[in-house]
Amino acid sequence: MTSTPSNSFTPDAFQQEAMSHIDAGRSALVCAPTGSGKTFVAEYAIEQALAKGQRAFYTTPIKALSNQKFRDFIERFGTDRVGLLTGDNVIRGDANIVVMTTEVLRNMLYAERVDPNLGVVVLDEVHYLADTYRGPVWEEVILNLASNVALVCLSATVSNFKELGGWLKSVRGDVGVVTEHRRVVPLLNMYCATRKANREIVLIETLKGNNANSEGLKFDVPPKLLMSGRNNRGGYRGRRGPSRELLERLPFRTPKADSLLMEMQERELLPAIWFVFSRKGCEKEAQKLMDRRVSFNTPGQSEQVMSIVEAGLEQISETDRVTLDVDNWIDMLKVGIAVHHAGLVPVFKEIVERCFIGGLIKVVFATETLALGVNMPARSVIIEKLKKYDGRSMVSLTPAEYAQMSGRAGRRGIDDQGHAIVLWSPTTRFHDVASLAGSRSFRLESAFRPTYNMAVTLLNRMPPERARDLIERSFSQYQNRSTSGDSLSPRLSNLFDSVVAVLRQRGHLKGWDVTDSGNLLEGIYHESDLVITDAITAGIFEGLEPVDLGALLSCFIYERRQAGPPPKPVSLSPELAKRVKAISTLVREVRELERGERLPLTKPVDDGFTLVIADWVKGSDLEVVLASHEHRNRNSRNSSMSPGEFVRNVKQIVDLARRIAVVAPGASVAESAKQLAIAANRGVVALSGKLDMGTDNTNDGAADNADDIALELALLEQLATTHD
């Protein structure tokens, strides 16, 4: 066996097994718990490719994880040998090792722009193929990658790994399947409550062996007592659960953050990630600690925090610092407290991640998205409750979600044991906590389905029979056949035919031939790809200045988070209102066809961000943009917009504008889209993903922004397929 990436490190058994498959020239599927060392296998595969004079690609599901891997690989392999390709950064794309989002690789494959000297592709977080919208991308890569390129698929532990491995063998040939259920750092699941009588923090083990700890039953509220707080419809009186009278009669209560964290500090259980299933909840808990003057850091650690903060915020203007409440945020970090959620601007999250990994943050209050993103292991995780709002209703945590969050507990080489602590609540049953902690059922279900973009892309490259065959080789169809026992089940072929029927009716296919508008559709990677293409071909974007084009594009991007009645209609100029109405008409027409073909419906237009992006593109400060939005929506529930939400929406508009700048047939639309991307990608928006990226990003002037856009447009043009 070739030498391992680190001579001082002895690989675990599952790592050695994976390495032996790589040495034998096989692809490999590695399913192992979070933090077990799957990246070690990836690095080994990369080293073997480099030793043969080949290149290596490493793909991740999100830009933030790509950025982190890029930094890690620079330390591991050297700056000149590592590149990065994401929507935010194009750095040394011709390097020996290139880190990229999975979508970038999919686009490269379809554009036939993959280097023939590519030796290995690492697909990190391959269990993302279960993601409803983005999951198909992983399967498209697996199905379209050249057979001589080795695949190393890294996945969280899934119970149907044999099924996943069987599918990979059926489409890729010789694949070694490696699984590890044992955690490198053992996990202790715990349940925590505060005893009211003496304010004692009570921590007990959730499991004894593989069974629920019988001691936990004493925490459950008797069903009769709990039912006394319910109304006739089965819900609780009032809006927020059991009555105060009921709660006062109980011997236990939910632990307060300061008391629990002080107890954990005494027991040496910090640092901790405290999962709270709302952004406001994260902020509220962190502020409570600040109000109680809780501090976890020494003066020396506070100084280290300031060094990281000052480097990260160097390019943020004084006005934006005030708008982002930087001073209060810094005060939190200095005492070892942080929050991490989608409402933060990306540069804040990146700084929090660096401080946490450096041991300078002792508790971070985070939404569950942290468990799915960057590598931030802790000694302990705390899970506030077992239910969360999924955008429609309150749902229970799944075993996979619990495993993902608890998987962050326990740092390899640092901790002897990780701790996952679930907090008591009157409506939580201890049996449910134990069931989650003891569950090993994490079945991976494919989300693959034919899309409009996929259909025209395939039909541009192969006859219909081959396109159907490729779709029939998907993991979704493999699972369908396994479940039904019918080897000829045509479910996905029928879906493909339905997608084709809609494309024909919209003029993007003539028979099986892709039309000019279909070629344009091939270059649009977006969940509303069909309607965006129709809008371009209908001339809806013609003759618009960048400001108005940005407003129209926002209708495809923005989606209100808040439940309840919609806000009052946005007041647009007559011309802009006319074009929004035209887009809405296109959406209605497409949705009608989709209903007839029993396809998932294209999302409706939402004009709630039109004036926000218009203000930003005109050059307004962040403070003015956010304040104007809040004023316009002052009579609506949750009228404010977080800076992170603002940045995320603007970045998606920039990404879409860049794509349109490449594929739009009209020069005026292409130029307007390019200027929109330049104008919108400034300030806190442009800073996203630019923190310590191993390249010179110290200048944030307009000229540098234009250079960045030009570079990324050049990359898109390289990836755009041309048709004779």
Side-chain angles (χ1 to χ4, degrees):
M1 181 180 292
T2 311
S3 62
T4 65
S6 175
N7 293 327
S8 61
F9 175 76
T10 302
D12 291 335
F14 86 91
Q15 293 169 325
Q16 293 184 32
E17 183 183 353
M19 291 159 66
S20 67
H21 288 303
I22 293 165
D23 286 340
R26 303 185 190 96
S27 292
L29 166 66
V30 183
C31 299
T34 301
S36 59
K38 295 188 290 289
T39 301
F40 177 86
V41 176
E43 290 180 353
Y44 182 79
I46 290 170
E47 284 199 340
Q48 302 317 298
L50 297 181
K52 298 174 186 175
Q54 298 174 323
R55 299 180 71 201
F57 288 173
Y58 189 107
T59 77
T60 77
I62 57 176
K63 296 173 186 176
L65 189 53
S66 291
N67 293 346
Q68 188 179 61
K69 289 296 180 186
F70 176 64
R71 287 192 290 258
D72 293 345
F73 284 176
I74 281 177
E75 290 184 12
R76 177 75 184 83
F77 297 101
T79 301
D80 293 340
R81 302 180 80 187
V82 184
L84 177 68
L85 296 177
T86 69
D88 296 327
N89 293 281
V90 180
I91 303 171
R92 295 184 291 277
D94 58 351
N96 293 332
I97 306 163
V98 183
V99 182
M100 62 187 71
T101 51
T102 315
E103 279 85 354
V104 168
L105 179 54
R106 186 272 308 269
N107 299 348
M108 291 173 72
L109 288 168
Y110 280 145
E112 300 175 357
R113 297 282 183 177
V114 175
D115 188 340
N117 195 38
L118 180 64
V120 65
V121 168
V122 178
L123 291 179
D124 199 357
E125 311 280 358
V126 78
H127 51 272
Y128 254 77
L129 61 81
D131 184 80
T132 303
Y133 173 62
R134 299 179 61 215
V137 172
W138 275 255
E139 297 193 41
E140 288 179 86
V141 167
I142 291 167
L143 292 170
N144 286 288
L145 192 66
S147 58
N148 64 307
V149 179
L151 264 180
V152 176
C153 299
L154 309 180
S155 171
T157 306
V158 293
S159 54
N160 58 331
F161 65 90
K162 290 182 180 178
E163 182 182 46
L164 178 59
W167 170 66
L168 285 170
K169 290 176 182 177
S170 73
V171 297
R172 298 295 307 176
D174 200 4
V175 178
V177 179
V178 180
T179 185
E180 173 62 82
H181 296 285
R182 180 185 62 85
R183 287 174 48 103
V184 176
V185 180
L187 178 69
L188 182 63
N189 293 281
M190 306 188 79
Y191 193 54
C192 181
T194 295
R195 197 187 309 276
K196 287 183 181 178
N198 56 5
R199 298 183 181 179
E200 177 192 4
I201 296 288
V202 183
L203 275 165
I204 67 162
E205 294 183 24
T206 305
L207 302 173
K208 289 294 186 182
N210 294 321
N211 300 315
N213 183 354
S214 58
E215 189 183 349
L217 298 176
K218 70 182 181 184
F219 294 98
D220 284 354
V221 179
K224 288 184 179 180
L225 184 60
L226 196 60
M227 290 300 293
S228 68
R230 293 182 180 269
N231 58 32
N232 294 332
R233 296 182 299 278
Y236 290 103
R237 299 187 182 104
R239 295 180 58 193
R240 300 185 181 275
S243 67
R244 180 175 296 180
E245 178 187 358
L246 170 62
L247 294 176
E248 287 176 352
R249 296 162 60 188
L250 303 177
F252 299 102
R253 62 171 171 79
T254 306
K256 292 181 179 179
D258 58 338
S259 301
L260 177 54
L261 291 169
M262 290 299 109
E263 178 76 16
M264 292 177 68
Q265 187 175 39
E266 287 183 16
R267 298 191 186 202
E268 298 184 344
L269 298 182
L270 299 181
I273 300 172
W274 190 308
F275 287 108
V276 183
F277 300 124
S278 78
R279 300 175 191 175
K280 286 186 176 179
C282 292
E283 300 283 352
K284 184 178 177 182
E285 292 297 335
Q287 192 57 50
K288 282 181 183 177
L289 293 183
M290 294 300 292
D291 292 342
R292 292 180 171 87
R293 301 185 180 278
V294 174
S295 178
F296 299 104
N297 278 352
T298 65
Q301 290 172 325
S302 297
E303 288 178 10
Q304 291 179 59
V305 167
M306 284 307 300
S307 297
I308 295 173
V309 168
E310 286 168 2
L313 300 186
E314 186 179 5
Q315 299 174 53
I316 293 186
S317 68
E318 287 302 321
T319 345
D320 286 352
R321 284 172 179 256
V322 173
T323 306
L324 297 171
D325 197 14
V326 164
D327 289 344
N328 187 51
W329 176 71
I330 290 175
D331 288 342
M332 281 188 182
L333 298 187
K334 286 168 66 178
V335 297
I337 300 167
V339 296
H340 192 290
H341 55 66
L344 295 179
V345 292
V347 69
F348 275 27
K349 289 192 285 186
E350 290 161 357
I351 289 171
V352 168
E353 290 157 13
R354 294 199 66 193
C355 289
F356 191 87
I357 292 169
L360 303 173
I361 299 294
K362 304 307 188 294
V363 59
V364 56
F365 295 95
T367 53
E368 73 272 24
T369 53
L370 176 61
L372 303 172
V374 295
N375 181 28
M376 273 180 62
R379 181 163 293 172
S380 305
V381 300
I382 301 159
I383 300 175
E384 178 193 39
K385 48 192 170 186
L386 301 186
K387 288 187 179 293
K388 63 174 185 172
Y389 183 68
D390 69 350
R392 295 178 298 274
S393 60
M394 296 299 295
V395 297
S396 298
L397 287 186
T398 65
E401 288 170 332
Y402 180 87
Q404 194 80 39
M405 286 185 274
S406 62
R408 294 295 177 188
R411 299 162 297 177
R412 182 171 188 149
I414 300 175
D415 301 321
D416 295 328
Q417 189 175 55
H419 298 78
I421 302 169
V422 175
L423 301 186
W424 176 95
S425 87
T427 56
T428 297
R429 312 297 295 172
F430 184 77
H431 173 77
D432 296 335
V433 179
S435 294
L436 279 178
S439 177
R440 296 294 179 268
S441 177
F442 315 132
R443 180 174 171 78
L444 187 65
E445 297 284 351
S446 169
F448 185 89
R449 61 178 176 83
T451 64
Y452 299 120
N453 174 279
M454 186 193 304
V456 294
T457 300
L458 293 178
L459 292 173
N460 254 328
R461 286 159 179 74
M462 59 191 74
E465 297 76 19
R466 278 188 60 203
R468 278 204 190 92
D469 177 66
L470 185 140
I471 287 169
E472 291 294 321
R473 293 167 61 213
S474 68
F475 187 40
S476 175
Q477 189 69 344
Y478 185 90
Q479 289 189 305
N480 188 47
R481 288 170 179 159
S482 298
T483 304
S484 66
D486 182 1
S487 62
L488 301 176
S489 172
R491 184 178 68 86
L492 282 182
S493 286
N494 291 343
L495 272 177
F496 178 70
D497 290 341
S498 295
V499 167
V500 165
V502 172
L503 289 171
R504 284 175 178 152
Q505 292 179 78
R506 300 305 293 179
H508 305 304
L509 287 176
K510 188 174 182 180
W512 291 104
D513 295 328
V514 180
T515 64
D516 288 344
S517 63
N519 289 333
L520 193 160
L521 170 59
E522 183 182 340
I524 301 293
Y525 306 111
H526 192 275
E527 59 183 318
S528 297
D529 50 9
L530 179 57
V531 178
I532 293 170
T533 303
D534 284 350
I536 294 173
T537 56
I540 294 174
F541 299 152
E542 291 287 347
L544 291 177
E545 293 297 320
V547 169
D548 290 334
L549 179 59
L552 283 188
L553 296 188
S554 75
C555 295
F556 302 108
I557 303 294
Y558 182 69
E559 196 169 357
R560 259 187 345 122
R561 291 182 64 249
Q562 295 85 8
K568 292 179 180 179
V570 176
S571 179
L572 302 173
S573 68
E575 181 59 30
L576 199 55
K578 176 183 173 183
R579 301 204 190 201
V580 171
K581 185 176 180 181
I583 292 174
S584 298
T585 300
L586 291 179
V587 171
R588 282 197 301 272
E589 292 172 358
V590 168
R591 284 166 68 94
E592 189 61 34
L593 293 175
E594 289 168 338
R595 286 190 187 94
E597 295 292 341
R598 298 184 178 181
L599 290 171
L601 299 183
T602 296
K603 81 180 189 71
V605 167
D606 192 325
D607 64 3
F609 202 75
T610 51
L611 299 183
V612 176
I613 186 64
D615 286 343
W616 182 251
V617 174
K618 288 175 185 175
S620 296
D621 287 337
L622 178 64
E623 178 185 18
V624 173
V625 172
L626 297 180
S628 298
H629 173 79
E630 185 168 357
H631 178 73
R632 285 191 294 265
N633 294 272
R634 60 190 178 280
N635 295 323
S636 302
R637 182 184 174 190
N638 296 325
S639 60
S640 62
M641 174 182 293
S642 71
E645 184 181 358
F646 165 78
V647 169
R648 187 173 62 257
N649 279 283
V650 175
K651 288 192 71 63
Q652 290 181 39
I653 292 170
V654 169
D655 288 345
L656 180 54
R658 289 171 178 167
R659 177 55 60 180
I660 290 174
V662 172
V663 303
S668 66
V669 173
E671 181 60 24
S672 183
K674 178 180 176 181
Q675 293 306 318
L676 166 61
I678 292 172
N681 192 49
R682 63 181 178 86
V684 292
V685 176
L687 280 177
S688 172
K690 300 291 185 181
L691 176 65
D692 190 22
M693 295 304 301
T695 187
D696 184 9
N697 285 316
T698 57
N699 226 326
D700 195 33
D704 299 280
N705 182 21
D707 289 342
D708 287 344
I709 300 293
L711 185 61
E712 289 168 34
L713 287 176
L715 172 68
L716 291 176
E717 286 165 0
Q718 289 175 20
L719 301 184
T721 306
T722 56
H723 303 282
D724 297 330

